[in-house]
Amino acid sequence: MKSERSATADQSRPAAELLARMLELSDETTKVHGGQWTHSNDARSAWDGTKTSGYVAYTCTRLKPGSGEQRAYRYSSMIMGPAVEDPETAVEKYVSHFEQQGFTETDRYDSEVPKSLRPGYYIMVTLQDDEGSTLVYQAGTHLSSLSYEGPCSYDPAMEFRTT
């Protein structure tokens, strides 16, 4: 679910600032949730919020006022975390923490884990802020995760893999 906030957020912010914000929010999530987190890649390599290399921005074409269509980019990522015994408590703690920073809950979903994986339960919550950042946090008895999507930017530096 997209809000009007992400469509109206400042789209001229520099790539370095947007990358730092993504890493900051992801790192904060790992601290609120606890435990060891990994990248969602096949190797499930350890996630480290201090490492800035290897991120690629994704295209999000927008209309730039006065100049027609121009290509813009956004950072997005997904990290995987440990299971929790009580998803509801974990989600309430997470939402409370990020609402204190100006995020607003925009969606919540809960479900049983598919029986083919093993018995379990998870809750997924979406939070957004006025800067255009979206956090999709999942707390589950099987695993947990965070998907981050940042605001669009016209900074051409976002066309390149971070180093």
Side-chain angles (χ1 to χ4, degrees):
M1 171 190 288
K2 301 286 182 208
S3 77
E4 289 302 311
R5 288 185 233 193
S6 60
T8 59
D10 176 13
Q11 296 177 359
S12 61
R13 292 171 58 195
E17 180 182 318
L18 294 174
L19 178 64
R21 181 69 171 153
M22 177 183 74
L23 295 173
E24 172 191 357
L25 291 171
S26 297
D27 189 52
E28 197 167 337
T29 293
T30 68
K31 289 175 180 161
V32 169
H33 182 90
Q36 297 297 310
W37 286 68
T38 64
H39 288 277
S40 62
N41 57 20
D42 290 340
R44 297 296 288 270
S45 54
W47 186 83
D48 180 346
T50 64
K51 298 197 184 226
T52 60
S53 64
Y55 291 97
V56 178
Y58 297 91
T59 304
C60 55
T61 303
R62 301 280 190 190
L63 295 180
K64 188 172 185 180
S67 65
E69 190 174 290
Q70 182 176 351
R71 185 169 291 181
Y73 300 89
R74 76 176 58 187
Y75 287 115
S76 66
S77 68
M78 181 175 198
I79 56 176
M80 311 302 283
V84 295
E85 287 185 31
D86 184 354
E88 190 169 321
T89 299
V91 165
E92 291 308 320
K93 177 181 174 185
Y94 188 82
V95 169
S96 174
H97 178 84
F98 281 97
E99 281 181 340
Q100 292 175 24
Q101 296 181 45
F103 279 84
T104 302
E105 182 177 335
T106 60
D107 196 20
R108 189 178 289 219
Y109 173 83
D110 61 274
S111 182
E112 296 290 323
V113 172
K115 291 185 186 348
S116 61
L117 294 175
R118 66 179 158 188
Y121 180 76
Y122 67 92
I123 299 173
M124 189 176 281
V125 63
T126 303
L127 304 169
Q128 293 183 322
D129 70 3
D130 289 333
E131 296 177 354
S133 293
T134 301
L135 303 170
V136 181
Y137 171 69
Q138 173 185 304
T141 58
H142 179 62
L143 61 84
S144 299
S145 67
L146 171 70
S147 295
Y148 169 86
E149 185 176 278
C152 291
S153 174
Y154 295 115
D155 184 347
M158 292 183 75
E159 293 184 49
F160 305 100
R161 183 176 297 275
T162 61
T163 57

